[in-house]
Amino acid sequence: MRRTTVVATPGTRLTVSLGCLMIERESSAPSRVPFEDLDCLILETTALTTSASVFIHAVKNNCVVLVCDERHSPSGILLPLNGNSLIASRQ
């Protein structure tokens, strides 16, 4: 089952390990989410650390990445192009 993951805790670190999204918070143990299980990744805080590798793995697995501003309002979106049937039909 595909799921939506919201990252809203300041100080969170997002990394990739063994094909999984690693979510590391200061106050709790790291969480591991397989990229193939992600449908949408919402980055609700501006105080997090991530890398391009996280975004590349997300879009390769047809995961939408939504970025929010300091007021928690959506300000940007990263969409996968290869897995999108609308984009594929236009090429």
Side-chain angles (χ1 to χ4, degrees), residues 15-85:
T15 58
V16 177
S17 177
L18 301 172
C20 294
L21 174 65
M22 294 294 297
I23 304 170
E24 301 173 28
R25 296 179 196 89
E26 296 173 0
S27 60
S28 62
S31 301
R32 181 179 294 216
V33 181
F35 278 103
E36 59 264 11
D37 290 351
L38 283 176
D39 191 40
C40 182
L41 176 62
I42 302 174
L43 306 179
E44 193 175 332
T45 181
T46 57
L48 62 82
T49 304
T50 188
S51 67
S53 181
V54 170
F55 300 133
I56 291 167
H57 279 79
V59 296
K60 280 186 177 180
N61 287 280
N62 295 322
C63 175
V64 174
V65 180
L66 183 67
V67 181
C68 298
D69 62 15
E70 59 279 346
R71 293 178 298 172
H72 307 283
S73 299
S75 62
I77 190 166
L78 180 62
L79 296 170
L81 295 179
N82 293 337
N84 190 319
S85 61

